[in-house]
Amino acid sequence: MVTTHNLGFPRIGPHRELKHALESFWKGSSTAEALEQVAADLRQQNWQSQSHLNYTPVGDFSLYDHVLDMSVTLGNIPARIHQLDGSEQDAYFRLARGRSPSDTCQCCTAAGEMTKWLDTNYHYIVPEFDAQTTFRLNAARLIKQVQEAISQGVTAKPVIIGPVSYLWLGKSKDDTSRLALLDQLLPVYSQLLNQLHELGIKWVQIDEPALVTELESGWRHAFHLAYHHLKSSPVSLLLTTYFGQLQENLQLACELPVQGLHVDAIRARDEVHKVIDWLPQHKVLSLGIIDGRNIWKNDLNRTLDWLEPIYARLQKRLWIAPSCSLLHVPVDLASETKLDAEITSWLSFAIQKLTELDVIAQALNHGRESVAETLNDNQQAIDRKHRSARVHNPAVKQALSNINDSMSQRQSAYPERARIQKDLLNLPKFPTTTIGSFPQTQEIRQTRALYKQGKLSEDDYRQRIKAEIKVCVDQQEQINLDVLVHGEPERNDMVEYFGEQLSGYAFSDFGWVQSYGSRCVKPPIIYGDITREKPMTVDWIKYAQSLTHKPMKGMLTGPVTILNWSFVRDDQPRDLTCKQIALAVRAEVQDLETAGVGIIQIDEAALREGLPLRRGQWQTYLDWAISAFCLSANGVSDQTQIHTHMCYSEFNDIMPAIAKMDADVITIETSRSDMELLDAFDEFSYPNEIGPGVYDIHSPNICSEDQVVDLLRKAAKSIPPERLWVNPDCGLKTRSWDEVTPALANMVRAAKKLRAES
Ligand code: GLN
Ligand code: ZN
């Protein structure tokens, strides 16, 4: 018999119950007990949904983040948090979000740093290490959940992060070496495993995602040390990897002294036979055969064609599971009542994925005949999708085949364009602008919501949005900015807005995925060839331009960001889908130009997010991503000034690729890192114009004129002043007008001061 299990289940709940409970608790509207009750109910519900599996993950549930939970379990809470009064839960939420519900002030910014969980859009709280770091087991949370599961009849497989990946995911706050902490850390893991054994646990899932990345020898050695230390533990360990190939770590992963290994058989399918060859005969091999990173139905017959011979070889040594934790997909497709029936028939969310797993297990155990009907239904859905006219649009394929290199190149090189644009735009030195959005007030949100619900006529909606655009333009004129924007009141999200107008896209109602803490995103679904039916932004921008004599900047989201923030079809390579989006954006850029919009910004906020886990694969990604951007942006005349925007400060390593985008102006986040980013410009001389953010929009603080002047002076040391723009870090949509107006006014005054001096 094959063994089935799961690596992790979404915690937010089918209708984001956890989000609502957390936010109500943080606001002080409900008690800690009420929060705990919602959490316990969700766990119970999740376990019930998985009760057909042989092993169910326990401890994957978290009130905020599983890496933070691991820090608590290991007693690794930074001293600055310890020093504050309050309960353990206060400490937990302080580290998660800077304050606990019992803190009345907002001054104690104790929050831990947050960063992306490998190549996902989930963010974890980074473990901190320094010379004072010690570890002490605090297994209360995990033990309670294991007991809770056992009492509900669940065959629990606790999930923990392995010691090497725990250190690898963290950050040293001084010059303490993370690896030097391993010796101290291992006994705590041993204790934890012993305690789990005492509860009757047989298998523990120990996640070591670091194994799918390029590791220096010290880290590889740490794996040997760690697992030799844990060898004597009384529970069986399932060493778990996901999100990619093991490559040069394959042999290491196979040889570590544990009882089982899980590999991602979606992303690392090509390696599986090699793993089988290397894996000692006494070990279990768990194959992640259902994609935990996407929402498409599994092609069950195809999976079985591949898996049956493996099962014949491994027999009861074979376990099967989703490729990774299901944290990265929505909970239940059954909640989607409004989604088109045909598209729904192609999809599979967490609950459906586990049913697929079950069917595969049945087929392996009792033959495909035993599930013939289900397999047949699945086959039909897969075939219908392959053939569907909604997926394949010949006109798009034709347009793609007409792409040639010259389409991705500007007519002249930057210096020539710059001269032309300078004469045309006549901007002062240190031109001031913003990144696009202006405060999204309650009223704007309501206008959009009413319109969406059909409670506001098209005419009324347009009038209200226009009125809001006018407010934004008037404000910007008063503040005396040089390049204005329309403010984006019609957009609730920079990807969804475009997705809704492109064909080939579908939208779920409850397809929420946790991004961090209580924050969830609902990625739109790209199911077919992408086309733009009609202009998406031109009317709004034209209207905004009609209100002012100053240049109005058209505002678009770039193809790579649209791709990276969507669930993407898996029947063709991602770069091809990106090219289709690029063509749609290109048409919009050209329509804006024709409408007389002389400056167009194409945001690529998520370009960096798409970087593969292994550096060795970066170049391939960057090549197609940058060429998609160029295809979208460069079909304009020399007169038109193209801007792009990115909001992250780790830049140095992709600078040459960014330069290849050849945008006339690039605006970037910098003020939080105190212009640290500028080092990148010292090392690599970026050839075009740059607007390093001088106003940190993530903070409610109003930047002063002097602060901005200081930052600009710093910037002018690395960037030639004649190529320096003055702008905030990012869009202003989360701020309020009473923060934005004075801050921008100070920014403009600072620019004027520099002009006067130069
Ligand atoms: N133009 C967008 C805005 O201002 C950019 C958002 C982003 O970079 N995340 O909101
Ligand atoms: Zn941004």
Side-chain angles (χ1 to χ4, degrees):
M1 292 287 213
V2 68
T3 298
T4 56
H5 72 120
N6 183 23
L7 270 50
F9 197 83
R11 355 166 143 124
I12 47 166
H15 294 99
R16 290 182 296 162
E17 290 82 350
L18 183 61
K19 172 193 178 69
H20 302 133
L22 278 169
E23 289 174 1
S24 148
F25 172 63
W26 292 337
K27 269 203 314 242
S29 315
S30 58
T31 62
E33 291 71 35
L35 173 63
E36 189 37 46
Q37 191 54 53
V38 172
D41 290 347
L42 279 171
R43 286 194 292 267
Q44 182 168 23
Q45 202 179 323
N46 292 352
W47 291 328
Q48 268 167 12
S49 307
Q50 304 174 82
S51 59
H52 53 88
L53 302 175
N54 296 116
Y55 288 102
T56 303
V58 172
D60 55 329
F61 184 88
S62 174
L63 281 180
Y64 200 94
D65 162 43
H66 59 276
V67 183
L68 175 58
D69 287 353
M70 201 65 213
S71 291
V72 173
T73 305
L74 299 169
N76 180 29
I77 299 296
R80 67 174 186 283
I81 305 274
H82 270 316
Q83 283 146 10
L84 301 167
D85 301 334
S87 65
E88 200 174 299
Q89 199 186 47
D90 286 338
Y92 182 84
F93 285 124
R94 277 182 189 130
L95 193 47
R97 48 195 296 275
R99 55 191 305 217
S100 82
S102 62
D103 293 331
T104 45
C105 69
Q106 245 168 323
C107 49
C108 35
T109 44
E113 195 180 311
M114 201 163 59
T115 198
K116 268 166 37 115
W117 174 243
L118 294 117
D119 64 348
T120 73
N121 195 18
Y122 174 85
H123 300 72
Y124 70 93
I125 304 288
V126 180
E128 295 175 32
F129 308 114
D130 59 28
Q132 270 73 51
T133 297
T134 54
F135 302 103
R136 195 168 48 86
L137 184 63
N138 173 6
R141 173 197 59 92
L142 188 56
I143 293 207
K144 174 170 169 280
Q145 291 185 19
V146 170
Q147 286 169 334
E148 204 176 283
I150 292 174
S151 76
Q152 291 170 29
V154 172
T155 314
K157 178 195 57 173
V159 181
I160 57 177
I161 295 171
V164 183
S165 291
Y166 178 74
L167 294 172
W168 181 85
L169 290 161
K171 197 168 168 180
S172 175
K173 292 283 164 175
D174 51 22
D175 46 17
T176 303
S177 141
R178 284 173 290 164
L179 282 172
L181 296 168
L182 187 65
D183 270 355
Q184 292 190 49
L185 182 58
L186 293 174
V188 180
Y189 270 85
S190 294
Q191 274 174 28
L192 174 62
L193 296 176
N194 285 335
Q195 292 199 7
L196 292 172
H197 172 69
E198 279 161 25
L199 296 172
I201 292 300
K202 277 214 192 67
W203 279 93
V204 172
Q205 173 185 325
I206 191 154
D207 287 6
E208 289 286 8
L211 281 167
V212 304
T213 67
E214 285 133 342
L215 296 172
E216 282 167 22
S217 61
W219 288 98
R220 292 165 55 88
H221 184 58
F223 274 104
H224 285 291
L225 292 178
Y227 287 89
H228 279 90
H229 182 99
L230 300 179
K231 194 163 80 176
S232 50
S233 81
V235 291
S236 295
L237 296 180
L238 182 70
L239 183 75
T240 301
T241 67
Y242 35 76
F243 300 155
Q245 299 196 335
L246 294 162
Q247 294 192 9
E248 69 286 0
N249 302 324
L250 186 144
Q251 200 176 335
L252 170 70
C254 288
E255 287 175 355
L256 291 174
V258 291
Q259 288 65 38
L261 173 67
H262 173 88
V263 296
D264 182 333
I266 298 294
R267 294 196 173 179
R269 178 153 300 190
D270 295 349
E271 279 188 333
V272 168
H273 284 282
K274 203 166 168 199
V275 170
I276 296 175
D277 291 342
W278 276 101
L279 199 70
Q281 295 283 327
H282 64 274
K283 286 192 192 178
V284 154
L285 176 62
S286 165
L287 294 180
I289 51 169
I290 308 271
D291 194 350
R293 295 288 297 273
N294 216 330
I295 38 70
W296 305 108
K297 205 168 239 181
N298 188 281
D299 184 340
L300 297 175
N301 278 317
R302 244 183 90 200
T303 303
L304 282 165
D305 290 345
W306 177 77
L307 198 58
E308 278 164 350
I310 295 177
Y311 181 52
R313 201 167 149 192
L314 295 179
Q315 291 293 319
K316 65 176 194 323
R317 283 174 61 206
L318 178 66
W319 287 26
I320 54 173
S323 58
C324 58
S325 165
L326 296 175
L327 180 64
H328 312 289
V329 292
V331 180
D332 189 1
L333 191 59
S335 306
E336 301 299 328
T337 50
K338 289 198 232 109
L339 199 62
D340 172 277
E342 187 183 3
I343 291 171
T344 307
S345 77
W346 303 336
L347 302 178
S348 175
F349 291 178
I351 300 232
Q352 289 69 37
K353 283 176 186 287
L354 294 176
T355 308
E356 292 173 344
L357 189 71
D358 218 30
V359 176
I360 291 172
Q362 298 272 350
L364 290 179
N365 290 337
H366 310 293
R368 293 197 202 189
E369 322 76 68
S370 66
V371 281
E373 205 176 317
T374 317
L375 289 180
N376 191 34
D377 289 351
N378 173 269
Q379 191 65 56
Q380 284 188 9
I382 300 282
D383 290 346
R384 276 196 307 268
K385 178 163 173 263
H386 280 319
R387 287 194 311 264
S388 174
R390 298 172 71 179
V391 173
H392 302 283
N393 181 339
V396 175
K397 308 231 191 296
Q398 183 61 45
L400 239 62
S401 68
N402 291 343
I403 295 175
N404 59 47
D405 287 353
S406 70
M407 288 167 75
S408 301
Q409 270 165 24
R410 296 295 293 266
Q411 290 163 351
S412 310
Y414 166 76
E416 173 64 7
R417 299 191 316 257
R419 202 183 48 72
I420 298 172
Q421 291 163 15
K422 200 174 186 145
D423 288 347
L424 209 67
L425 294 166
N426 202 17
L427 295 169
K429 245 182 137 180
F430 307 108
T432 54
T433 189
T434 61
I435 305 305
S437 57
F438 267 82
Q440 293 239 331
T441 57
Q442 201 49 41
E443 255 171 276
I444 301 179
R445 289 175 202 281
Q446 207 186 356
T447 298
R448 279 199 313 260
L450 289 175
Y451 175 58
K452 216 170 176 174
Q453 295 156 13
K455 293 182 186 153
L456 198 65
S457 74
E458 171 89 28
D459 265 3
D460 287 346
Y461 170 72
R462 295 191 77 84
Q463 284 318 317
R464 289 200 199 178
I465 294 290
K466 280 184 167 177
E468 189 55 41
I469 291 177
K470 184 159 173 16
V471 169
C472 285
V473 174
D474 289 350
Q475 282 290 329
Q476 294 173 84
E477 290 220 308
Q478 257 173 37
I479 296 168
N480 216 350
L481 285 151
D482 300 308
V483 172
L484 312 195
V485 295
H486 78 297
E488 305 180 25
E490 78 287 14
R491 305 183 191 174
N492 55 343
D493 177 276
M494 64 188 287
V495 170
E496 194 171 10
Y497 177 77
F498 291 95
E500 276 173 347
Q501 301 186 78
L502 293 168
S503 53
Y505 255 109
F507 295 84
S508 64
D509 277 322
F510 299 99
W512 296 101
V513 178
Q514 190 177 21
S515 172
Y516 64 91
S518 68
R519 278 286 279 272
C520 301
V521 293
K522 190 151 61 67
I525 300 167
I526 302 178
Y527 65 83
D529 290 338
I530 299 282
T531 44
R532 186 192 74 138
E533 312 274 289
K534 53 179 193 318
M536 304 181 282
T537 62
V538 176
D539 281 353
W540 300 125
I541 311 291
K542 252 166 70 181
Y543 172 70
Q545 181 67 83
S546 76
L547 301 171
T548 177
H549 295 298
K550 293 203 163 169
M552 177 60 58
K553 180 160 69 166
M555 192 60 58
L556 304 173
T557 303
V560 187
T561 298
I562 293 185
L563 184 88
N564 284 344
W565 283 345
S566 301
F567 281 125
V568 180
R569 58 191 286 193
D570 63 352
D571 59 343
Q572 67 180 25
R574 283 172 81 85
D575 60 326
L576 200 60
T577 304
C578 196
K579 227 183 235 182
Q580 295 183 353
I581 306 171
L583 281 182
V585 177
R586 177 184 175 91
E588 187 73 16
V589 169
Q590 291 174 330
D591 279 348
L592 283 170
E593 182 181 55
T594 308
V597 181
I599 304 183
I600 301 167
Q601 177 173 315
I602 307 169
D603 292 325
E604 283 293 16
L607 183 116
R608 198 180 198 289
E609 273 182 32
L611 281 175
L613 281 170
R614 286 177 175 273
R615 267 183 185 256
Q617 293 161 359
W618 279 20
Q619 202 50 50
T620 311
Y621 164 77
L622 287 170
D623 284 349
W624 64 253
I626 301 306
S627 87
F629 177 85
C630 291
L631 181 61
S632 71
N634 292 349
V636 291
S637 71
D638 287 344
Q639 279 92 330
T640 300
Q641 188 171 68
I642 297 288
H643 290 215
T644 188
H645 164 73
M646 292 173 190
C647 28
Y648 30 82
S649 40
E650 319 88 54
F651 235 67
N652 309 34
D653 42 12
I654 55 168
M655 196 63 130
I658 289 172
K660 274 204 201 126
M661 293 164 77
D662 199 23
D664 297 299
V665 182
I666 180 169
T667 58
I668 37 185
E669 177 200 311
T670 30
S671 69
R672 258 188 301 182
S673 63
D674 202 22
M675 297 274 150
E676 224 173 72
L677 166 102
L678 295 172
D679 300 346
F681 291 94
D682 290 337
E683 285 158 30
F684 179 94
S685 117
Y686 182 80
N688 306 357
E689 289 158 58
I690 307 158
V694 289
Y695 158 25
D696 174 8
I697 63 94
H698 296 95
S699 149
N701 299 337
I702 295 162
C703 58
S704 71
E705 181 183 331
D706 288 347
Q707 276 168 340
V708 177
V709 168
D710 278 353
L711 289 175
L712 283 174
R713 287 206 173 113
K714 251 190 203 170
K717 286 192 191 132
S718 308
I719 300 166
E722 60 284 1
R723 289 200 268 123
L724 194 55
W725 282 65
V726 181
N727 48 262
D729 264 344
C730 194
L732 302 165
K733 74 178 194 184
T734 56
R735 299 261 64 92
S736 64
W737 278 107
D738 46 338
E739 292 158 353
V740 163
T741 312
L744 290 179
N746 290 342
M747 192 184 87
V748 169
R749 271 194 284 274
K752 286 187 176 154
K753 187 162 181 185
L754 259 80
R755 272 173 218 159
E757 288 172 3
S758 66

